[in-house]
Structures are given as structure tokens and as C-alpha cells.
Amino acid sequence: MMTDKIKIAELTSEEARQYLNKDAVILLPMGSLEDQGTHAPMGDYLAAECVALDIARAARAEGVPTFIAPVIPFGGADYFGSSHGGIAISQATLAALLDDMFASLARHGLTKILVINGHGGNVGPINDVSLKWRQKNGMFVASMYLWQISYELLKDILGPEQAAKSSGHGGDPLTSIGLHYYPEILRLDLRQAPPKGQKAMGVEVAGFAAIKYDGARLQAPIEAIESAPHGVWGGDPVHCSAETGKALSDRLVKIGAGFIRDHVAKGFAA
């Protein structure tokens, strides 16, 4: 018999001893607390946890005992330090946190782990720590960067032209995902379109941490507030919808649950 509980935090210690065994798959959801547009909640980790929960439910339906660790709400610091009210932790601190989490799980034989990531600033620490543990004890931890995957899925769901209108920070995928999972905390009346003609230090802004000169994109220490003063860049949230959010989450869940069934649960056997 499998418990109905999915979150590790809700298990009793006896339930943990019973259900968190060598067959259990552990999902580690994580995201950030930063400007997602004037209309959307700052915590994109909320979306990552919602998707992770649905992935876990779908994986269980495939016969895989899957559980979710407490979400990491603070992202690795990057150019979003200018977000009013945002909280980030250094890349080194995030790497240390992940390292300690991996160590705690590995100590009890819980090595079937999948990271469900919702923030670009987390990618570096996830990769570094995952490589360290593969070299250390052979533990192989993959990561789903939800929003990077979503940009490609949106082209298929909406068509390339429509996806280009909605895709971007403050637009899709997060706004549509939010409208699907927690519409009551979005403020669509506060939506703002992406800025035009942004300049920083006298140079055209090309995106987050980027400028453009003579058609070339250069990396530069540009903060988010200089690129997107209202948190929106690229896609316009006016094109986002709960219908798109559901279609997108369905695809993400199918990918995640299938990957767990075919590879994570099997320990990535050759």
C-alpha cells in the first residue's frame, strides 16, 4: 500500500521509514522570489511546486512511488537583485544548500532524484552539485528547467508566431501557468507591455544582462530594472491565458512523469 501523502514534510517519521525506500523517487522543486511582472506573484517557485506535484501524481499513476521535498523558494542571485521585495541567495550558498540536501538524501539511500527547476539563476549550482555527486558516488541527478522546456513547447501549442507574442519574462510561460494553477493571486488589471527602446549607460538594452551594438549582442552587468522596469521582457502578458497554462502544464507533466518512469525510477540503468 502507498500513502496518499506526496510531500515529504507531511510524512510522519514512521511513514518516512516505511515509504522512503530504495524505490522512492524524490523531486526537488525550486524557483525564485523576484519580479515576474506587475501582474504576477513574485514567487515563481509556486509554479514549480504545482508542476512538481502534478508530475508526482502522474508518476504514481505509472506505479512509481514519488515524493516531493520542501521547495527551495530563493533563487541563485543574478541580475534580479534590483527587484523590490525580492530575496535571492548567492550562487555559493545555493550550491551548498543543494549539496547538503543531496547528502541528506544519499545517506538514507534516496538516490533517485529529479530537480524541478523554475529559475535560470539556479542552473549553474544545480549542474555543479549534480556533477560533484556523480563523481563522488555515482549518483546521477537530472534537472527539468521548466521554463526553458516551455519556450519550445509553446511553439507547438500556440504556433511559432503566437508563441513569439506571449513568450518572455513576465509573459509566458509563467503568466499562463499561474492563470491555470492560482488565478486568484494574479492581478491582470496591472499588466504592462514590454518596454521599447530601453537604454542603459547610453547603449541599447538587448535583454537581461545584455546590450546590443552594431547588431551584436554583448554581455554586460545590466540589472533587471534597467532591462525591464516593470518585470516584463519579450512577451506581452495580454496574450497569456489559463487555457495555454493547462495545455503547457499537461505537456510538462507528461514529460516529467515519463522521464521518471523510463529512467529515474530505474536508476538510469544502461
Side-chain angles (χ1 to χ4, degrees):
M1 296 290 293
M2 173 54 60
T3 175
D4 290 334
K5 297 178 182 178
I6 292 178
K7 295 182 178 181
I8 291 177
E10 296 178 356
L11 297 175
T12 69
S13 59
E14 182 55 38
E15 288 173 329
R17 281 185 283 270
Q18 182 176 354
Y19 298 117
L20 298 184
N21 53 44
K22 63 180 180 61
D23 296 321
V25 170
I26 310 298
L27 305 187
L28 300 183
M30 55 194 303
S32 69
L33 186 68
E34 65 185 29
D35 192 346
Q36 306 293 346
T38 49
H39 61 289
M42 295 177 67
D44 68 3
Y45 68 87
L46 297 171
E49 185 176 41
C50 285
V51 174
L53 281 165
D54 277 349
I55 289 174
R57 294 184 185 105
R60 284 191 176 196
E62 296 278 359
V64 181
T66 308
F67 296 86
I68 296 181
V71 63
I72 301 176
F74 306 126
D78 53 15
Y79 32 78
F80 274 95
S82 56
S83 295
H84 187 81
I87 300 175
I89 56 180
S90 71
Q91 299 283 308
T93 298
L94 181 57
L97 175 59
L98 285 169
D99 191 41
D100 286 348
M101 291 180 75
F102 282 23
S104 295
L105 294 170
R107 176 179 180 179
H108 299 289
L110 300 171
T111 59
K112 296 176 179 179
I113 302 169
L114 177 63
V115 178
I116 307 297
N117 178 37
H119 177 56
N122 297 340
V123 172
I126 292 170
N127 290 342
D128 290 346
V129 175
S130 297
L131 181 59
K132 171 185 175 179
W133 277 89
R134 185 182 186 191
Q135 295 171 341
K136 181 176 182 177
N137 72 349
M139 187 165 70
F140 193 88
V141 179
S143 172
M144 283 184 70
Y145 180 13
L146 296 176
W147 317 141
Q148 184 180 65
I149 296 171
S150 294
Y151 284 131
E152 293 304 312
L153 293 178
L154 284 165
K155 295 176 184 177
D156 184 48
I157 293 170
L158 299 174
E161 185 175 338
Q162 188 63 26
K165 294 179 181 179
S166 68
S167 297
H169 194 90
D172 274 336
L174 266 174
T175 294
S176 287
I177 286 285
L179 289 170
H180 169 55
Y181 281 115
Y182 39 78
E184 69 282 357
I185 59 175
L186 272 78
R187 287 285 306 277
L188 297 185
D189 58 305
L190 296 178
R191 285 180 301 193
Q192 296 203 34
K196 296 180 180 179
Q198 286 295 110
K199 288 192 175 183
M201 306 301 290
V203 186
E204 180 183 356
V205 170
F208 296 120
I211 54 178
K212 184 183 292 185
Y213 175 74
D214 196 21
R217 182 185 174 95
L218 288 71
Q219 300 303 306
I222 303 299
E223 294 209 86
I225 197 168
E226 297 175 288
S227 312
H230 302 299
V232 177
W233 180 269
D236 192 330
V238 75
H239 299 293
C240 302
S241 70
E243 291 74 23
T244 296
K246 183 182 187 309
L248 185 54
S249 65
D250 287 348
R251 294 286 295 273
L252 290 169
V253 168
K254 182 179 179 181
I255 292 168
F259 185 64
I260 289 170
R261 178 198 63 220
D262 295 340
H263 297 288
V264 182
K266 298 177 181 178
F268 292 94

